[in-house]
Amino acid sequence: MFANKKKLLYILGGLALLVGIAGYLRFFASNTTFNENEKWVTIPTGSTFEDVKKIMAPYINGMGGFENMAALRRYDKNVKPGRFLLEKGMGNFGLVAALRHNRPVKLTFNNQERLKDLCVRFSQQIEPDTTQLMNVFRDSVFLKENGFSKENVIAMFIPNSYEFYWNVSAEKFRDKMLQEYKRFWNADRLAKAEKLGMSPVEVITLASIVHKETVKKDERPRVAGAYLNRLAQGISLQADPTVIYALKLQSNDFKQVIKRVLFADLSINSPYNTYVYAGLPPGPIAMPDISAIDAVLNPEKHNFIFFCASVDRFGYHEFASSYAEHQVNAKRYADWINSTGTTR
């Protein structure tokens, strides 16, 4: 009798062990297929568990175990949209847990010339598509309430890194960008803009020209000072980057590279052409970085009115306070660029 009890205990122990192993395999044994250390998946807003299974199918070995775990943890009835991190070797327990932990996106942007291109860039990093983003940024009520127009609303975007959840709505994304814009324009920057007699949008519009005119951050305050001198004296800005923008806008081709502005280009009839139209263009010709914005707010004080590219210090410019002096610098540059064979 004792032997039978002992045998029964061995059998029960073995069964318990088998159940334990089965439970472990069901919960924690690897159920991933990928060899990389991690994989990111996105679950669109409004997805059902059936949608999730289709999204997860390429990354897991056994769908049955995953389904059972999702049901056990009631995930199948409570799918969450967002961006989720799967790690190599995760079991079903870990996979379901991962799909409940929405990870933020570090969104970055710069160097965009048009709102459309910027929205394309955004749509590659968050859920709303280009059309949805364009619609909220060009909403007439939003523009009117916040002092923007369709031509200058790109001024609202301050190049930096921002965190968003991938499934943020287009409206919430827009409102967050507006909040960041207002935070950037603190009391100090607003006071400097007022001293210049300019609005924040006007500052950014001029900064976009400065940004395009020189990549040298240490030269930007000097370039900004020259443009501000021209504005103060009622002289047209005559900025080549605005002509290039006008040419791109006319052809609707912002991928083209224009290295040289021709004399015939200077007469293109566009409100962005500052050779034809006095003052600032209708809006920024690009998205200036913070150094260009602060260069306009903190310009170098000097008497320069003219400048052209330097042939001795590439990337920099030669400045002049008289037209005669500028003509000498300009001819030197023209002779050099002609010698390179650059026609456009």
Side-chain angles (χ1 to χ4, degrees):
M1 185 175 177
F2 178 76
N4 289 337
K5 286 185 178 180
K6 189 174 182 182
K7 184 176 181 181
L8 180 61
L9 289 174
Y10 278 129
I11 293 172
L12 291 175
L15 289 172
L17 180 61
L18 290 174
V19 170
I21 292 173
Y24 174 84
L25 293 174
R26 180 187 177 195
F27 278 72
F28 302 110
S30 174
N31 193 24
T32 58
T33 60
F34 49 89
N35 293 320
E36 298 85 352
N37 288 330
E38 58 186 39
K39 283 285 186 181
W40 289 96
V41 297
T42 52
I43 308 297
T45 300
S47 294
T48 65
F49 185 56
E50 289 300 314
D51 298 321
V52 172
K53 289 194 293 182
K54 292 176 183 177
I55 294 168
M56 293 290 289
Y59 308 116
I60 61 177
N61 274 312
M63 185 60 69
F66 174 73
E67 288 180 297
N68 291 336
M69 182 58 64
L72 183 65
R73 302 197 65 194
R74 298 185 179 179
Y75 171 80
D76 59 338
K77 306 298 183 184
N78 189 27
V79 170
K80 295 182 179 298
R83 175 175 177 261
F84 306 96
L85 177 63
L86 308 181
E87 296 179 354
K88 181 181 178 181
M90 273 184 166
N92 292 316
F93 185 90
L95 289 168
V96 172
L99 293 175
R100 282 181 160 156
H101 187 191
N102 193 5
R103 305 292 186 107
V105 175
K106 182 165 283 189
L107 187 146
T108 60
F109 54 88
N110 55 26
N111 296 331
Q112 304 301 312
E113 295 175 300
R114 292 186 301 177
L115 179 64
K116 179 181 178 181
D117 301 320
L118 181 60
C119 288
V120 170
R121 179 77 177 271
F122 290 151
S123 68
Q124 294 168 347
Q125 300 178 72
I126 55 178
E127 184 176 21
D129 62 28
T130 303
T131 301
Q132 291 172 318
L133 292 166
M134 287 286 286
N135 287 342
V136 297
F137 289 128
R138 288 189 166 179
D139 177 72
S140 58
V141 175
F142 170 80
L143 294 174
K144 185 176 181 180
E145 286 181 349
N146 294 286
F148 295 116
S149 68
K150 291 181 179 180
E151 292 75 24
N152 66 30
V153 69
I154 196 173
M156 186 177 76
F157 303 95
I158 308 299
N160 213 328
S161 292
Y162 304 94
E163 277 197 354
F164 289 93
Y165 286 111
W166 175 81
N167 55 308
V168 64
S169 70
E171 291 80 6
K172 287 184 178 180
F173 176 73
R174 178 197 64 192
D175 294 346
K176 174 67 173 177
M177 285 289 92
L178 177 64
Q179 182 182 351
E180 293 295 337
Y181 170 80
K182 291 180 177 179
R183 181 177 291 115
F184 175 82
W185 282 101
N186 55 31
D188 181 56
R189 286 192 172 100
L190 287 172
K192 289 177 178 178
E194 186 177 3
K195 188 175 179 180
L196 292 172
M198 302 174 77
S199 68
V201 169
E202 289 172 331
V203 169
I204 290 177
T205 298
L206 182 56
S208 72
I209 301 174
V210 173
H211 178 102
K212 283 291 188 179
E213 193 70 69
T214 178
V215 298
K216 303 296 185 181
K217 293 183 179 180
D218 61 327
E219 190 186 47
R220 284 175 174 171
R222 177 168 290 193
V223 171
Y227 280 136
L228 287 167
N229 286 344
R230 296 183 77 88
L231 288 172
Q233 296 180 39
I235 303 172
S236 297
L237 291 179
Q238 297 185 353
D240 286 0
T242 66
V243 178
I244 292 173
Y245 185 88
L247 290 168
K248 290 181 176 181
L249 189 63
Q250 184 184 65
S251 64
N252 195 31
D253 180 7
F254 278 78
K255 293 183 179 180
Q256 63 180 307
V257 177
I258 300 175
K259 295 182 178 180
R260 184 175 187 179
V261 173
L262 307 178
F263 182 76
D265 299 330
L266 303 183
S267 59
I268 181 174
N269 186 17
S270 168
Y272 288 91
N273 182 359
T274 55
Y275 279 85
V276 174
Y277 292 87
L280 294 168
I285 61 170
M287 181 185 300
D289 64 25
I290 292 174
S291 73
I293 299 170
D294 283 341
V296 174
L297 294 174
N298 303 278
E300 183 179 311
K301 305 297 183 182
H302 54 62
N303 296 318
F304 297 134
I305 296 294
F306 308 96
F307 58 92
C308 72
S310 175
V311 298
D312 298 318
R313 300 175 303 135
F314 288 106
Y316 286 93
H317 293 77
E318 301 296 342
F319 292 81
S321 54
S322 71
Y323 185 66
E325 184 183 359
H326 173 63
Q327 283 292 88
V328 173
N329 294 334
K331 184 178 185 307
R332 191 163 180 235
Y333 175 73
D335 290 344
W336 173 81
I337 199 169
N338 285 333
S339 71
T340 68
T342 302
T343 59
R344 177 57 94 182

